[in-house]
Amino acid sequence: MTLQEAIRILMLSPCYWRLQPRARMILVREYCASYEAISRKFPARPRKERLS
């Protein structure tokens, strides 16, 4: 996940706007780190092809 994607998601939260800019950046970095940890634990699997 890129920083821009994380910011786009977090901007939907009213809590995001109450934070100071420095705290927002920390939140964005933590969000990206947690996303990376989850994506490493559960890698995307390719879809099985359907037989017609």
Side-chain angles (χ1 to χ4, degrees), residues 9 27 32 38-39 52:
I9 292 168
L27 176 65
C32 288
I38 291 170
S39 66
S52 316

Side-chain angles (χ1 to χ4, degrees), residues 36-52:
E36 283 295 317
I38 291 170
S39 66
R40 273 190 241 129
K41 189 172 182 177
F42 302 105
R45 290 184 245 159
R47 291 185 168 197
K48 295 181 181 179
E49 291 184 27
R50 294 181 70 180
L51 299 175
S52 316

Side-chain angles (χ1 to χ4, degrees), residues 7-23:
I7 291 169
R8 194 174 299 133
I9 292 168
L10 291 170
M11 283 175 61
L12 299 173
S13 170
C15 297
Y16 177 84
W17 297 107
R18 293 177 182 237
L19 297 173
Q20 296 295 321
R22 184 178 174 134

